[in-house]
Amino acid sequence: MITLYHCMNARSFRPLWTLEEIGLPYQLVVLPFPPRVLRRDYLKINSLGTVPTLIDGDTCMTESAAICQYLAARYDGQGLNVPPEASEYGAFLNFLHFGEATLTFPQTLVLRYRLLEPPERQQPQVAEDYRRWFLGRLRRISEVLATQPYVCGNRFTAADVSVGYALLLAEQLGLQADFPERVMPYWNGLKERAGYQRAVASQRRAAQSQGVSAASPIAS
Ligand SMILES: N[C@@H](CCC(=O)N[C@@H](CS)C(=O)NCC(=O)O)C(=O)O
């Protein structure tokens, strides 16, 4: 059985959402945030102490977008996956990685320098610069949605999971009021998906049964 190590609403939500969309059985281990500090034994599983970690037999993966790609390609046929011979393959890989590298990374600077650092180490200018940087990069999503409902065309894929998580993080940081046009309706549509809602319920249930706070550690 697949095991996923997860913190509430962290990037490990991407593989959790993907598992729920596909309907694969899995074991969810919820850790307090940051596990590097609060669960030192987790460093034996992932020496960086970050989430996600996904274990599937002999496979151990720690990059959220790559895990979504792996699960879709290995377990979901044409569902969330886009095969190399499809015309949307380039867009699929592009937005799968855009979700993490371009849309999530700048938000981690907002999170860190606005919320996580102690007051004397906070950097309002850094947080504000990267808030704008993130919102500017969202223009690419807005452009794509002008002609199609999902980032790869007419159907929901793992690339929407990757971009969707960046929008979840942005909402937690209170950035949604400045989303460019078309992004908020797209995000609302993703949140209505049964797979998304099952993932939200699953993390809450697992946190409660494992004695971990179900509150989001990164809510602003
Ligand atoms: N690029 C990685 C980043 C993983 C990552 O940094 N995860 C954060 C949670 S969103 C984490 O575990 N932070 C805790 C720490 O850095 O100690 C991915 O997409 O999975």
Short mmCIF file of all heavy atoms in Angstrom, two decimals, residues 10-11 14 33-36 48-52 62-65 100 165, ligand 1:
data_model
loop_
_atom_site.label_atom_id
_atom_site.label_comp_id
_atom_site.label_asym_id
_atom_site.label_seq_id
_atom_site.Cartn_x
_atom_site.Cartn_y
_atom_site.Cartn_z
N ALA A 10 -0.06 21.44 3.33
CA ALA A 10 1.28 21.67 2.76
C ALA A 10 1.33 21.09 1.35
O ALA A 10 0.33 20.57 0.83
CB ALA A 10 2.32 21.02 3.66
N ARG A 11 2.50 21.17 0.71
CA ARG A 11 2.59 20.71 -0.68
C ARG A 11 2.21 19.24 -0.83
O ARG A 11 1.86 18.80 -1.92
CB ARG A 11 4.00 20.92 -1.19
CG ARG A 11 4.34 22.37 -1.51
CD ARG A 11 5.78 22.34 -1.87
NE ARG A 11 6.40 23.56 -2.29
CZ ARG A 11 7.06 24.37 -1.46
NH1 ARG A 11 7.04 24.16 -0.16
NH2 ARG A 11 7.70 25.41 -1.95
N ARG A 14 -0.82 18.01 -2.73
CA ARG A 14 -0.88 17.65 -4.17
C ARG A 14 -1.00 16.14 -4.36
O ARG A 14 -1.92 15.67 -5.02
CB ARG A 14 0.37 18.17 -4.91
CG ARG A 14 0.36 19.64 -5.21
CD ARG A 14 1.48 20.00 -6.22
NE ARG A 14 1.50 21.43 -6.48
CZ ARG A 14 2.45 22.26 -6.05
NH1 ARG A 14 3.46 21.81 -5.34
NH2 ARG A 14 2.39 23.54 -6.34
N PHE A 33 3.69 20.54 11.83
CA PHE A 33 4.57 21.37 11.00
C PHE A 33 5.40 22.31 11.88
O PHE A 33 4.84 22.98 12.74
CB PHE A 33 3.71 22.20 10.04
CG PHE A 33 4.53 22.99 9.05
CD1 PHE A 33 4.95 22.40 7.86
CD2 PHE A 33 4.91 24.30 9.31
CE1 PHE A 33 5.71 23.11 6.95
CE2 PHE A 33 5.68 25.01 8.40
CZ PHE A 33 6.07 24.41 7.22
N PRO A 34 6.72 22.38 11.65
CA PRO A 34 7.52 21.62 10.68
C PRO A 34 8.01 20.30 11.28
O PRO A 34 8.54 20.29 12.39
CB PRO A 34 8.69 22.56 10.39
CG PRO A 34 8.88 23.35 11.65
CD PRO A 34 7.54 23.42 12.33
N PRO A 35 7.86 19.20 10.55
CA PRO A 35 8.28 17.90 11.08
C PRO A 35 9.77 17.84 11.41
O PRO A 35 10.17 17.14 12.33
CB PRO A 35 7.90 16.92 9.95
CG PRO A 35 7.54 17.72 8.77
CD PRO A 35 7.25 19.10 9.21
N ARG A 36 10.57 18.59 10.66
CA ARG A 36 12.03 18.67 10.90
C ARG A 36 12.32 18.99 12.37
O ARG A 36 13.28 18.52 12.96
CB ARG A 36 12.56 19.77 9.98
CG ARG A 36 14.00 20.11 10.04
CD ARG A 36 14.33 21.06 8.87
NE ARG A 36 13.37 22.15 8.68
CZ ARG A 36 13.37 23.29 9.35
NH1 ARG A 36 14.27 23.51 10.27
NH2 ARG A 36 12.47 24.24 9.07
N LEU A 48 15.70 15.55 4.69
CA LEU A 48 15.46 17.00 4.63
C LEU A 48 14.34 17.40 5.60
O LEU A 48 14.18 18.58 5.91
CB LEU A 48 15.06 17.42 3.22
CG LEU A 48 16.10 17.16 2.13
CD1 LEU A 48 15.57 17.67 0.79
CD2 LEU A 48 17.42 17.82 2.46
N GLY A 49 13.53 16.45 6.00
CA GLY A 49 12.43 16.75 6.92
C GLY A 49 11.25 17.42 6.25
O GLY A 49 10.33 17.90 6.92
N THR A 50 11.23 17.45 4.94
CA THR A 50 10.13 18.12 4.21
C THR A 50 9.01 17.12 3.90
O THR A 50 9.21 15.90 3.90
CB THR A 50 10.65 18.73 2.90
OG1 THR A 50 11.32 17.70 2.15
CG2 THR A 50 11.60 19.87 3.15
N VAL A 51 7.83 17.67 3.63
CA VAL A 51 6.73 16.86 3.09
C VAL A 51 6.41 17.42 1.71
O VAL A 51 6.57 18.62 1.48
CB VAL A 51 5.47 16.91 3.99
CG1 VAL A 51 5.69 16.13 5.26
CG2 VAL A 51 5.00 18.33 4.26
N PRO A 52 5.99 16.55 0.78
CA PRO A 52 5.65 15.15 0.96
C PRO A 52 6.83 14.22 0.96
O PRO A 52 7.90 14.54 0.42
CB PRO A 52 4.80 14.87 -0.29
CG PRO A 52 5.39 15.76 -1.35
CD PRO A 52 5.78 17.01 -0.61
N THR A 62 10.06 12.66 -3.01
CA THR A 62 9.89 13.80 -2.11
C THR A 62 9.55 15.11 -2.85
O THR A 62 9.58 16.17 -2.23
CB THR A 62 11.18 14.03 -1.28
OG1 THR A 62 12.26 14.25 -2.18
CG2 THR A 62 11.48 12.84 -0.39
N GLU A 63 9.26 15.05 -4.14
CA GLU A 63 8.88 16.26 -4.89
C GLU A 63 7.41 16.15 -5.27
O GLU A 63 7.01 15.23 -6.01
CB GLU A 63 9.74 16.42 -6.14
CG GLU A 63 11.09 17.04 -5.89
CD GLU A 63 11.03 18.49 -5.40
OE1 GLU A 63 10.12 19.24 -5.79
OE2 GLU A 63 11.90 18.86 -4.60
N SER A 64 6.61 17.12 -4.82
CA SER A 64 5.16 16.98 -4.95
C SER A 64 4.68 16.89 -6.40
O SER A 64 3.82 16.08 -6.73
CB SER A 64 4.46 18.12 -4.22
OG SER A 64 4.82 19.36 -4.76
N ALA A 65 5.23 17.72 -7.29
CA ALA A 65 4.76 17.70 -8.68
C ALA A 65 5.18 16.39 -9.35
O ALA A 65 4.42 15.78 -10.12
CB ALA A 65 5.29 18.91 -9.45
N GLU A 100 4.64 24.34 -9.22
CA GLU A 100 5.59 24.34 -8.09
C GLU A 100 6.68 25.40 -8.28
O GLU A 100 6.85 26.29 -7.45
CB GLU A 100 6.21 22.94 -7.93
CG GLU A 100 7.35 22.84 -6.94
CD GLU A 100 6.99 23.25 -5.51
OE1 GLU A 100 5.79 23.33 -5.16
OE2 GLU A 100 7.92 23.53 -4.74
N TYR A 165 -2.89 23.56 -6.19
CA TYR A 165 -2.30 23.68 -4.85
C TYR A 165 -1.69 25.07 -4.64
O TYR A 165 -1.81 25.65 -3.55
CB TYR A 165 -1.24 22.59 -4.56
CG TYR A 165 -0.61 22.92 -3.23
CD1 TYR A 165 -1.34 22.74 -2.06
CD2 TYR A 165 0.64 23.54 -3.15
CE1 TYR A 165 -0.83 23.14 -0.83
CE2 TYR A 165 1.15 23.95 -1.94
CZ TYR A 165 0.42 23.75 -0.78
OH TYR A 165 0.91 24.18 0.43
N1 LIG B 1 9.75 21.27 -3.98
C1 LIG B 1 9.26 20.45 -2.91
C2 LIG B 1 9.22 21.30 -1.63
C3 LIG B 1 8.90 20.50 -0.39
C4 LIG B 1 8.77 21.45 0.82
O1 LIG B 1 9.61 22.35 1.03
N2 LIG B 1 7.71 21.25 1.64
C5 LIG B 1 7.45 22.12 2.76
C6 LIG B 1 5.97 22.10 3.09
S1 LIG B 1 4.97 22.91 1.91
C7 LIG B 1 8.14 21.62 4.01
O2 LIG B 1 8.15 20.43 4.26
N3 LIG B 1 8.69 22.54 4.84
C8 LIG B 1 9.23 22.18 6.12
C9 LIG B 1 10.69 22.48 6.23
O3 LIG B 1 11.26 23.08 5.29
O4 LIG B 1 11.27 22.12 7.24
C10 LIG B 1 7.89 19.89 -3.29
O5 LIG B 1 7.25 20.41 -4.20
O6 LIG B 1 7.47 18.90 -2.70
#
